Amino acid sequence: MANPFDLSGKVALVTGANTGIGQGIAVALAEAGADVAVAGRTPPDETQAMVEALGRRFLPIAADFTSIEPLPRLIEETVAGLGRVDILVNNAGTIRRADSVDFTEADWDAVMDVNLKSVFFLCQAFARHVIGRGGKGKIINIASMLSFQGGIRVPSYTASKGGVAGITKLLANEWAAKGINVNAIAPGYVETNNTAALRADAQRSADILARIPAGRWSVPSDMGGPAVFLASDASDYVHGTILPVDGGWLAR
Ligand code: NAP
């Protein structure tokens, strides 16, 4: 019987995968058989070594997601370098922390531009390509617990991740019949640069851990299996879902 999770012959474009969750997902997709392009502002040397050690091809693409200008080029460069693009993982994201009474317009715009505006317009560029060539495409956006909950001192991040969940469902409605699956993974609390400030605060860190039924913080590789599922034929009838991968956090 064919393996429905096999990604052999597929090409994935993952944003912000030099580190953290993006790296965990890029490596998992490569383990499942995909070749991988990584777009971001820091050279993804470590991820490249990990993917190539698995015998997969790797393409680094320089891009800064504070502007939507580079986005159509990312699709073109992936196709030029690796022959095709089947899977898009919108992972790059940023966060700014401050009390809402003090929160600045600059911190609002910086987060919304990377976490929401660029996500939408890269989905658009990918969909134009897939619809133009025909066949299937898979989009995986990275949402958050703050797609469901309010959070504290992260107003633009919460707004952006609520927005990611919203556009994931909207785009699924528009593109499911066109051969594109649009879904999201909502990670729980993952040990990455994004959560360094939380983990440095002993009280916050302990409070968070106490609420996680799995009894531990997540590591980036925890997102790999769910990403392979949403990138593969196994999820062909899954559209517009926001999949929590949270050690049970939301069930608590
Ligand atoms: P991370 O280690 O800080 O990784 C973030 C990635 O996004 C890095 O590759 C970063 O590049 C890239 N990035 C940020 N701003 C960018 C920009 N303007 N242009 C290009 N690349 C940019 O954090 P992470 O936790 O793995 O975050 C990955 C995704 O998961 C984000 O969308 C985040 O919101 C989401 N998430 C994280 C958690 C968690 O607990 N960690 C939970 C839920 C959701 P640089 O290395 O160059 O900065």
Side-chain angles (χ1 to χ4, degrees):
M1 189 179 133
N3 174 1
F5 301 100
D6 183 17
L7 299 180
S8 300
K10 309 276 190 197
V11 172
L13 169 61
V14 188
T15 67
N18 56 299
T19 183
I21 291 171
Q23 183 180 71
I25 289 175
V27 170
L29 297 177
E31 283 173 339
D35 295 322
V36 179
V38 165
R41 62 185 176 183
T42 301
D45 298 339
E46 188 179 70
T47 310
Q48 178 160 7
M50 294 164 87
V51 167
E52 290 180 344
L54 293 164
R56 305 271 77 83
R57 292 182 299 156
F58 187 91
L59 179 71
I61 305 174
D64 188 323
F65 298 112
T66 52
S67 157
I68 67 169
E69 177 276 326
L71 303 181
R73 173 174 64 78
L74 305 188
I75 304 299
E76 291 162 16
E77 288 190 24
T78 303
V79 173
L82 295 175
R84 55 186 299 116
V85 62
D86 307 280
I87 301 153
L88 169 64
V89 182
N90 272 307
N91 167 79
T94 192
I95 193 163
R96 300 287 168 89
R97 301 178 192 275
D99 289 342
S100 289
V101 288
D102 300 324
F103 211 76
T104 65
E105 183 179 10
D107 282 346
W108 182 270
D109 289 344
V111 172
M112 294 297 275
D113 284 350
V114 174
N115 291 16
L116 187 57
K117 187 174 180 181
S118 280
V119 169
F120 173 78
F121 283 102
L122 190 53
C123 286
Q124 180 189 68
F126 177 83
R128 285 177 175 168
H129 171 77
V130 172
I131 293 167
R133 68 147 153 80
K136 290 163 58 171
K138 301 273 185 176
I139 295 175
I140 304 167
N141 294 325
I142 303 302
S144 165
M145 292 298 96
L146 302 191
S147 300
F148 304 99
Q149 301 177 307
I152 302 167
R153 303 182 71 248
V154 287
S156 56
Y157 188 83
T158 299
S160 73
K161 294 300 185 178
V164 166
I167 62 167
T168 297
K169 290 180 265 193
L170 170 129
L171 296 176
N173 292 337
E174 293 196 28
W175 297 340
K178 298 183 188 296
I180 302 174
N181 296 75
V182 189
N183 293 291
I185 289 171
Y189 286 82
V190 191
E191 293 174 1
T192 69
N193 298 335
N194 173 292
T195 52
L198 289 182
R199 284 177 288 115
D201 180 335
Q203 188 61 53
R204 275 303 299 285
S205 183
D207 290 348
I208 289 167
L209 181 61
R211 205 205 127 133
I212 301 173
R216 65 169 176 86
W217 278 59
S218 173
V219 291
S221 59
D222 289 322
M223 305 302 139
V228 169
F229 166 62
L230 291 175
S232 72
D233 292 350
S235 61
D236 276 354
Y237 201 62
V238 180
H239 292 281
T241 199
I242 317 300
L243 176 62
V245 183
D246 64 351
W249 173 274
L250 288 178
R252 191 67 176 259

